[in-house]
Amino acid sequence: MAHDGPKTEISFAGRFASSAFAACVAEICTIPLDTAKVRLQLQKKAVAGDGVAAPKYRGMLGTVTTIAREEGLTALWKGIVPGLHRQCLFGGLRIGLYEPVKNFYVGSDFVGDVPLTKKILAALTTGALAITVANPTDLVKVRLQAEGKLPPGVPRRYSGALNAYSTIIRQEGLGALWTGLGPNIARNAIINAAELASYDQVKETLLKIPGFSDNVFTHLLAGLGAGFFAVCIGSPVDVVKSRMMGDSTYKSTLDCFIKTLRNDGIFAFYKGFIPNFARLGTWNVIMFLTLEQNKIWLELGNSTPPINNTHNTHVVSHRHMQALRHAHEHALRHICAHEHVIIYEDVSDINMLE
Protein backbone atom coordinates (compact mmCIF):
# COMPACT_ATOMS: atom_id res chain seq x y z
CA MET A 1 0.00 0.00 0.00
CA ALA A 2 1.65 3.23 -1.12
CA HIS A 3 0.94 6.45 0.62
CA ASP A 4 1.89 9.62 -1.19
CA GLY A 5 -0.86 11.87 0.12
CA PRO A 6 -0.72 14.59 2.75
CA LYS A 7 0.60 13.42 6.12
CA THR A 8 -0.45 14.53 9.54
CA GLU A 9 1.56 14.53 12.76
CA ILE A 10 1.09 11.38 14.84
CA SER A 11 1.00 11.78 18.63
CA PHE A 12 3.57 10.06 20.83
CA ALA A 13 0.83 7.77 22.17
CA GLY A 14 0.02 6.76 18.59
CA ARG A 15 3.69 6.21 17.76
CA PHE A 16 4.23 4.17 20.92
CA ALA A 17 1.16 1.98 20.37
CA SER A 18 1.87 1.36 16.67
CA SER A 19 5.56 0.63 17.38
CA ALA A 20 4.75 -1.76 20.24
CA PHE A 21 2.15 -3.58 18.13
CA ALA A 22 4.52 -3.94 15.16
CA ALA A 23 7.32 -5.20 17.42
CA CYS A 24 5.01 -7.77 19.07
CA VAL A 25 3.83 -9.11 15.69
CA ALA A 26 7.46 -9.54 14.59
CA GLU A 27 8.38 -11.18 17.92
CA ILE A 28 5.62 -13.79 17.69
CA CYS A 29 6.64 -14.71 14.14
CA THR A 30 10.39 -14.99 14.78
CA ILE A 31 10.92 -16.13 18.39
CA PRO A 32 11.70 -19.77 17.36
CA LEU A 33 14.75 -18.43 15.51
CA ASP A 34 15.63 -16.29 18.53
CA THR A 35 15.47 -19.37 20.79
CA ALA A 36 17.82 -21.21 18.41
CA LYS A 37 20.16 -18.21 18.41
CA VAL A 38 20.32 -18.08 22.22
CA ARG A 39 21.03 -21.84 22.49
CA LEU A 40 23.86 -21.57 19.94
CA GLN A 41 25.37 -18.54 21.69
CA LEU A 42 25.28 -20.21 25.13
CA GLN A 43 26.79 -23.43 23.81
CA LYS A 44 30.38 -23.90 24.93
CA LYS A 45 33.02 -26.35 23.78
CA ALA A 46 32.44 -29.70 25.45
CA VAL A 47 35.53 -31.75 26.32
CA ALA A 48 35.23 -35.55 26.12
CA GLY A 49 38.36 -37.50 27.13
CA ASP A 50 41.30 -36.27 25.09
CA GLY A 51 39.23 -34.57 22.43
CA VAL A 52 36.41 -32.13 21.94
CA ALA A 53 32.91 -33.57 21.90
CA ALA A 54 30.62 -32.75 19.02
CA PRO A 55 28.36 -29.81 19.87
CA LYS A 56 24.74 -30.59 20.68
CA TYR A 57 23.39 -27.80 18.46
CA ARG A 58 24.63 -27.43 14.89
CA GLY A 59 23.31 -24.64 12.71
CA MET A 60 19.99 -22.88 12.77
CA LEU A 61 17.82 -25.64 11.31
CA GLY A 62 19.66 -28.30 13.31
CA THR A 63 19.09 -26.38 16.53
CA VAL A 64 15.40 -25.84 15.79
CA THR A 65 15.01 -29.55 14.95
CA THR A 66 16.85 -30.69 18.08
CA ILE A 67 14.80 -28.47 20.37
CA ALA A 68 11.52 -29.54 18.78
CA ARG A 69 12.46 -33.25 18.91
CA GLU A 70 13.75 -33.30 22.51
CA GLU A 71 11.50 -30.72 24.16
CA GLY A 72 8.48 -30.41 21.92
CA LEU A 73 7.45 -27.82 19.36
CA THR A 74 6.16 -25.38 21.98
CA ALA A 75 9.68 -25.13 23.45
CA LEU A 76 10.61 -22.98 20.45
CA TRP A 77 8.30 -20.32 21.85
CA LYS A 78 9.93 -20.36 25.28
CA GLY A 79 10.17 -16.83 26.56
CA ILE A 80 7.32 -15.51 24.39
CA VAL A 81 5.52 -13.93 27.37
CA PRO A 82 8.50 -11.87 28.62
CA GLY A 83 9.39 -11.39 24.95
CA LEU A 84 6.08 -9.62 24.39
CA HIS A 85 6.54 -7.71 27.66
CA ARG A 86 9.91 -6.62 26.29
CA GLN A 87 8.61 -5.54 22.91
CA CYS A 88 5.74 -3.55 24.42
CA LEU A 89 8.24 -1.55 26.48
CA PHE A 90 11.44 -1.67 24.47
CA GLY A 91 9.92 -1.68 20.98
CA GLY A 92 7.37 0.97 21.83
CA LEU A 93 9.94 3.31 23.38
CA ARG A 94 12.92 2.88 21.04
CA ILE A 95 10.87 3.18 17.84
CA GLY A 96 8.24 5.56 19.16
CA LEU A 97 10.85 8.02 20.47
CA TYR A 98 13.10 7.86 17.39
CA GLU A 99 11.39 10.55 15.29
CA PRO A 100 10.91 13.05 18.19
CA VAL A 101 14.53 12.59 19.35
CA LYS A 102 15.85 12.88 15.80
CA ASN A 103 13.87 16.10 15.33
CA PHE A 104 15.24 17.36 18.66
CA TYR A 105 18.84 16.78 17.54
CA VAL A 106 18.42 18.55 14.19
CA GLY A 107 16.28 21.39 15.56
CA SER A 108 12.76 22.49 14.78
CA ASP A 109 13.87 24.83 11.97
CA PHE A 110 15.86 22.18 10.08
CA VAL A 111 14.97 21.71 6.39
CA GLY A 112 16.21 18.92 4.11
CA ASP A 113 17.54 15.39 4.59
CA VAL A 114 18.60 14.59 8.16
CA PRO A 115 22.36 13.74 8.30
CA LEU A 116 23.17 10.08 8.96
CA THR A 117 25.14 11.03 12.07
CA LYS A 118 22.01 12.57 13.63
CA LYS A 119 20.00 9.46 12.79
CA ILE A 120 22.61 7.25 14.44
CA LEU A 121 22.78 9.51 17.51
CA ALA A 122 18.99 9.51 17.87
CA ALA A 123 18.80 5.71 17.57
CA LEU A 124 21.66 5.22 20.07
CA THR A 125 19.81 7.45 22.53
CA THR A 126 16.41 5.77 22.22
CA GLY A 127 17.94 2.28 22.28
CA ALA A 128 19.82 2.99 25.52
CA LEU A 129 16.83 4.62 27.21
CA ALA A 130 14.40 1.90 26.17
CA ILE A 131 16.49 -1.09 27.28
CA THR A 132 17.23 0.54 30.64
CA VAL A 133 13.49 0.37 31.28
CA ALA A 134 12.97 -3.06 29.67
CA ASN A 135 16.07 -4.96 30.93
CA PRO A 136 14.13 -7.16 33.43
CA THR A 137 11.95 -8.51 30.62
CA ASP A 138 15.04 -9.29 28.54
CA LEU A 139 16.71 -11.11 31.43
CA VAL A 140 13.67 -13.33 32.08
CA LYS A 141 13.25 -14.05 28.37
CA VAL A 142 16.88 -15.22 28.00
CA ARG A 143 16.74 -17.38 31.14
CA LEU A 144 13.57 -19.13 30.01
CA GLN A 145 15.02 -19.69 26.54
CA ALA A 146 18.33 -20.98 27.96
CA GLU A 147 16.72 -23.92 29.78
CA GLY A 148 17.02 -27.05 27.70
CA LYS A 149 15.80 -30.58 28.34
CA LEU A 150 16.40 -31.52 31.98
CA PRO A 151 17.14 -35.03 33.39
CA PRO A 152 14.16 -36.87 34.91
CA GLY A 153 13.29 -35.62 38.39
CA VAL A 154 15.15 -32.32 38.02
CA PRO A 155 12.69 -29.41 38.37
CA ARG A 156 12.86 -26.36 36.18
CA ARG A 157 14.19 -23.16 37.68
CA TYR A 158 11.07 -21.23 36.70
CA SER A 159 7.53 -22.36 35.97
CA GLY A 160 6.79 -19.31 33.83
CA ALA A 161 7.51 -15.64 33.24
CA LEU A 162 5.81 -14.25 36.36
CA ASN A 163 7.38 -16.97 38.51
CA ALA A 164 10.77 -16.06 37.03
CA TYR A 165 10.37 -12.40 37.99
CA SER A 166 9.38 -13.24 41.57
CA THR A 167 12.02 -15.99 41.99
CA ILE A 168 14.84 -13.75 40.77
CA ILE A 169 13.78 -10.94 43.11
CA ARG A 170 13.43 -13.33 46.07
CA GLN A 171 16.67 -15.26 45.53
CA GLU A 172 18.96 -12.65 43.96
CA GLY A 173 17.44 -9.30 44.88
CA LEU A 174 15.62 -6.63 42.89
CA GLY A 175 18.83 -5.38 41.32
CA ALA A 176 19.40 -8.79 39.73
CA LEU A 177 16.68 -7.96 37.21
CA TRP A 178 19.17 -5.50 35.74
CA THR A 179 21.95 -8.12 35.43
CA GLY A 180 23.87 -7.56 32.22
CA LEU A 181 22.56 -3.99 31.85
CA GLY A 182 25.95 -2.73 30.63
CA PRO A 183 26.34 -5.09 27.67
CA ASN A 184 22.60 -4.93 27.08
CA ILE A 185 22.71 -1.13 26.74
CA ALA A 186 25.72 -1.44 24.43
CA ARG A 187 24.09 -4.20 22.41
CA ASN A 188 20.65 -2.63 22.07
CA ALA A 189 21.88 0.92 21.49
CA ILE A 190 24.21 -0.32 18.74
CA ILE A 191 21.65 -2.64 17.15
CA ASN A 192 18.95 0.01 17.42
CA ALA A 193 21.22 2.47 15.63
CA ALA A 194 22.03 -0.13 12.98
CA GLU A 195 18.34 -0.96 12.49
CA LEU A 196 16.59 2.41 12.64
CA ALA A 197 19.31 4.59 11.14
CA SER A 198 20.06 2.13 8.33
CA TYR A 199 16.35 1.61 7.59
CA ASP A 200 15.84 5.37 7.53
CA GLN A 201 18.90 5.88 5.30
CA VAL A 202 18.22 2.97 2.91
CA LYS A 203 14.59 3.99 2.51
CA GLU A 204 15.56 7.63 1.91
CA THR A 205 18.14 6.55 -0.70
CA LEU A 206 15.72 4.20 -2.48
CA LEU A 207 13.04 6.89 -2.71
CA LYS A 208 15.49 9.08 -4.66
CA ILE A 209 15.87 6.37 -7.33
CA PRO A 210 13.41 6.67 -10.24
CA GLY A 211 10.77 3.97 -10.09
CA PHE A 212 10.80 3.60 -6.31
CA SER A 213 7.96 4.93 -4.17
CA ASP A 214 6.93 4.73 -0.52
CA ASN A 215 5.40 1.26 -0.83
CA VAL A 216 5.69 -2.28 0.52
CA PHE A 217 8.58 -3.28 -1.79
CA THR A 218 10.68 -0.33 -0.64
CA HIS A 219 9.88 -1.11 3.00
CA LEU A 220 10.86 -4.76 2.46
CA LEU A 221 14.28 -3.89 0.97
CA ALA A 222 14.98 -1.30 3.67
CA GLY A 223 13.98 -3.80 6.37
CA LEU A 224 16.37 -6.45 5.03
CA GLY A 225 19.17 -3.88 4.93
CA ALA A 226 18.44 -2.89 8.52
CA GLY A 227 18.58 -6.53 9.66
CA PHE A 228 21.89 -7.20 7.91
CA PHE A 229 23.63 -4.14 9.35
CA ALA A 230 22.24 -4.90 12.81
CA VAL A 231 23.66 -8.44 12.85
CA CYS A 232 27.08 -7.49 11.44
CA ILE A 233 27.56 -4.73 14.00
CA GLY A 234 25.77 -6.19 17.00
CA SER A 235 26.72 -9.90 17.08
CA PRO A 236 29.74 -9.64 19.45
CA VAL A 237 27.87 -7.65 22.09
CA ASP A 238 24.83 -9.86 21.57
CA VAL A 239 26.87 -12.97 22.42
CA VAL A 240 28.35 -11.35 25.53
CA LYS A 241 24.89 -10.19 26.62
CA SER A 242 23.34 -13.65 26.20
CA ARG A 243 26.21 -15.37 28.07
CA MET A 244 26.08 -12.93 30.99
CA MET A 245 22.33 -13.28 31.34
CA GLY A 246 22.37 -17.06 30.96
CA ASP A 247 25.36 -17.72 33.23
CA SER A 248 25.86 -15.80 36.49
CA THR A 249 29.52 -16.93 36.89
CA TYR A 250 30.82 -14.02 34.84
CA LYS A 251 31.95 -11.10 37.00
CA SER A 252 31.62 -8.32 34.43
CA THR A 253 31.23 -7.55 30.75
CA LEU A 254 35.01 -7.50 30.30
CA ASP A 255 35.37 -10.79 32.20
CA CYS A 256 32.80 -12.43 29.93
CA PHE A 257 34.49 -11.03 26.81
CA ILE A 258 37.98 -12.23 27.87
CA LYS A 259 36.83 -15.72 28.95
CA THR A 260 34.82 -16.20 25.76
CA LEU A 261 37.78 -15.11 23.63
CA ARG A 262 40.27 -17.29 25.55
CA ASN A 263 38.12 -20.42 25.80
CA ASP A 264 36.16 -20.39 22.53
CA GLY A 265 38.12 -18.14 20.16
CA ILE A 266 37.26 -15.02 18.17
CA PHE A 267 34.62 -16.77 16.07
CA ALA A 268 32.58 -17.42 19.22
CA PHE A 269 31.44 -13.80 18.99
CA TYR A 270 29.70 -14.65 15.72
CA LYS A 271 28.15 -17.89 16.95
CA GLY A 272 24.60 -18.09 15.73
CA PHE A 273 25.26 -15.50 12.99
CA ILE A 274 23.07 -17.29 10.42
CA PRO A 275 20.06 -17.75 12.73
CA ASN A 276 20.65 -14.27 14.09
CA PHE A 277 20.49 -12.78 10.60
CA ALA A 278 17.57 -15.00 9.64
CA ARG A 279 15.80 -13.86 12.77
CA LEU A 280 16.72 -10.16 12.64
CA GLY A 281 16.25 -9.89 8.88
CA THR A 282 12.81 -11.47 9.12
CA TRP A 283 12.04 -9.55 12.30
CA ASN A 284 12.90 -6.20 10.72
CA VAL A 285 10.94 -6.89 7.54
CA ILE A 286 7.81 -7.89 9.50
CA MET A 287 8.18 -5.08 12.03
CA PHE A 288 8.79 -2.28 9.52
CA LEU A 289 6.08 -3.49 7.13
CA THR A 290 3.59 -3.59 10.02
CA LEU A 291 4.80 -0.24 11.37
CA GLU A 292 4.54 1.52 8.03
CA GLN A 293 0.96 0.28 7.54
CA ASN A 294 0.08 1.35 11.09
CA LYS A 295 1.45 4.82 10.37
CA ILE A 296 -0.60 5.07 7.17
CA TRP A 297 -3.78 4.11 9.01
CA LEU A 298 -3.06 6.59 11.79
CA GLU A 299 -2.33 9.38 9.29
CA LEU A 300 -5.48 8.63 7.32
CA GLY A 301 -7.50 8.50 10.51
CA ASN A 302 -6.23 11.90 11.63
CA SER A 303 -6.74 13.70 8.33
CA THR A 304 -9.48 14.57 5.85
CA PRO A 305 -7.89 14.65 2.40
CA PRO A 306 -8.81 17.82 0.51
CA ILE A 307 -10.65 17.56 -2.79
CA ASN A 308 -8.21 18.32 -5.55
CA ASN A 309 -10.09 19.85 -8.49
CA THR A 310 -7.06 20.51 -10.67
CA HIS A 311 -6.60 17.10 -12.36
CA ASN A 312 -9.60 16.58 -14.64
CA THR A 313 -11.99 16.15 -11.69
CA HIS A 314 -15.68 16.69 -12.47
CA VAL A 315 -18.06 17.57 -9.60
CA VAL A 316 -21.56 16.53 -10.68
CA SER A 317 -24.83 16.63 -8.71
CA HIS A 318 -27.01 13.52 -8.58
CA ARG A 319 -29.84 15.19 -10.56
CA HIS A 320 -27.42 16.38 -13.25
CA MET A 321 -25.95 12.89 -13.42
CA GLN A 322 -29.40 11.44 -14.12
CA ALA A 323 -29.87 13.88 -17.00
CA LEU A 324 -26.43 13.09 -18.39
CA ARG A 325 -27.07 9.37 -18.10
CA HIS A 326 -30.21 9.56 -20.23
CA ALA A 327 -29.05 12.12 -22.75
CA HIS A 328 -25.39 11.33 -23.21
CA GLU A 329 -24.83 7.77 -22.07
CA HIS A 330 -22.01 7.13 -24.49
CA ALA A 331 -20.20 10.35 -23.60
CA LEU A 332 -20.63 9.64 -19.88
CA ARG A 333 -19.02 6.22 -20.21
CA HIS A 334 -16.06 7.90 -21.87
CA ILE A 335 -15.72 10.44 -19.03
CA CYS A 336 -15.98 7.77 -16.31
CA ALA A 337 -13.39 5.61 -18.03
CA HIS A 338 -10.75 8.32 -18.39
CA GLU A 339 -11.38 10.85 -15.63
CA HIS A 340 -12.21 10.99 -11.91
CA VAL A 341 -15.93 11.58 -11.24
CA ILE A 342 -17.34 12.60 -7.85
CA ILE A 343 -21.12 12.27 -7.46
CA TYR A 344 -22.92 14.50 -4.95
CA GLU A 345 -26.48 13.96 -3.89
CA ASP A 346 -27.46 17.61 -4.03
CA VAL A 347 -26.40 20.80 -5.78
CA SER A 348 -25.84 22.39 -2.37
CA ASP A 349 -22.86 20.07 -1.96
CA ILE A 350 -21.30 21.75 -4.96
CA ASN A 351 -22.04 25.21 -3.63
CA MET A 352 -20.12 24.37 -0.49
CA LEU A 353 -16.98 23.73 -2.59
CA GLU A 354 -17.17 27.03 -4.40
Side-chain angles (χ1 to χ4, degrees), residues 46-58:
V47 179
D50 297 329
V52 178
K56 179 179 181 180
Y57 303 117
R58 299 178 67 88

Side-chain angles (χ1 to χ4, degrees), residues 92-108:
L93 288 172
R94 75 180 179 100
I95 304 167
L97 285 171
Y98 175 68
E99 287 295 333
V101 171
K102 183 175 69 174
N103 293 336
F104 170 78
Y105 281 140
V106 298
S108 57

Side-chain angles (χ1 to χ4, degrees), residues 31-323:
I31 198 168
L33 298 177
D34 189 52
T35 300
K37 178 208 73 173
V38 169
R39 295 287 181 90
L40 284 168
Q41 288 177 337
L42 294 178
Q43 183 169 253
K44 301 173 185 177
K45 287 183 179 179
V47 179
D50 297 329
V52 178
K56 179 179 181 180
Y57 303 117
R58 299 178 67 88
M60 178 185 67
L61 293 179
T63 303
V64 169
T65 303
T66 300
I67 294 171
R69 184 178 64 250
E70 293 187 352
E71 304 168 48
L73 197 61
T74 56
L76 292 169
W77 274 267
K78 272 185 178 179
I80 186 61
V81 173
L84 294 178
H85 294 167
R86 178 183 186 272
Q87 292 305 337
C88 283
L89 285 174
F90 179 62
L93 288 172
R94 75 180 179 100
I95 304 167
L97 285 171
Y98 175 68
E99 287 295 333
V101 171
K102 183 175 69 174
N103 293 336
F104 170 78
Y105 281 140
V106 298
S108 57
D109 297 330
F110 181 83
V111 178
D113 294 337
V114 177
L116 179 59
T117 53
K118 298 293 185 182
K119 296 174 183 176
I120 293 173
L121 183 59
L124 286 171
T125 303
T126 62
L129 289 173
I131 200 58
T132 300
V133 175
N135 196 82
T137 64
D138 211 14
L139 176 77
V140 170
K141 175 189 171 188
V142 169
R143 290 206 179 177
L144 288 175
Q145 289 177 317
E147 278 196 333
K149 185 179 181 181
L150 299 175
V154 178
R156 293 196 173 277
R157 294 171 69 187
Y158 314 111
S159 60
L162 295 180
N163 175 256
Y165 288 119
S166 61
T167 302
I168 292 169
I169 292 173
R170 185 175 65 254
Q171 295 181 352
E172 304 173 47
L174 183 63
L177 289 173
W178 277 267
T179 298
L181 180 62
N184 216 11
I185 287 178
R187 182 253 184 192
N188 284 282
I190 291 170
I191 289 182
N192 195 51
E195 284 181 354
L196 297 187
S198 63
Y199 179 84
D200 204 353
Q201 191 69 26
V202 171
K203 179 182 171 183
E204 182 182 289
T205 302
L206 289 174
L207 290 177
K208 292 178 180 178
I209 300 174
F212 280 90
S213 61
D214 194 0
N215 57 22
V216 169
F217 182 65
T218 300
H219 304 158
L220 188 150
L221 291 180
L224 281 174
F228 179 76
F229 283 114
V231 178
C232 289
I233 295 170
S235 266
V237 288
D238 192 36
V239 169
V240 171
K241 185 263 310 186
S242 292
R243 291 199 170 193
M244 284 196 69
M245 287 185 167
D247 187 347
S248 58
T249 60
Y250 295 114
K251 298 176 183 178
S252 65
T253 304
L254 183 61
D255 179 57
C256 181
F257 180 86
I258 291 173
K259 286 181 177 177
T260 301
L261 181 63
R262 184 174 63 241
N263 297 331
D264 300 311
I266 188 68
F267 292 108
F269 293 108
Y270 284 90
K271 268 189 177 180
F273 182 88
I274 299 297
N276 205 9
F277 174 64
R279 189 251 173 179
L280 270 182
T282 306
W283 194 97
N284 276 277
V285 167
I286 295 172
M287 192 280 290
F288 281 116
L289 286 177
T290 307
L291 179 65
E292 293 283 6
Q293 297 307 306
N294 287 346
K295 286 165 62 178
I296 291 172
W297 294 331
L298 285 172
E299 288 164 358
L300 291 176
N302 292 337
S303 65
T304 303
I307 294 177
N308 187 341
N309 201 32
T310 62
H311 301 289
N312 296 325
T313 300
H314 295 265
V315 182
V316 185
S317 75
H318 186 69
R319 287 194 291 270
H320 283 83
M321 180 60 84
Q322 292 294 333

Side-chain angles (χ1 to χ4, degrees), residues 311-315 335-336 338-342:
H311 301 289
N312 296 325
T313 300
H314 295 265
V315 182
I335 293 173
C336 291
H338 295 87
E339 302 180 59
H340 186 70
V341 178
I342 301 175

Side-chain angles (χ1 to χ4, degrees), residues 15-31:
R15 288 185 185 278
F16 178 87
S18 60
S19 301
F21 177 77
C24 285
V25 170
E27 188 75 7
I28 292 170
C29 294
T30 62
I31 198 168

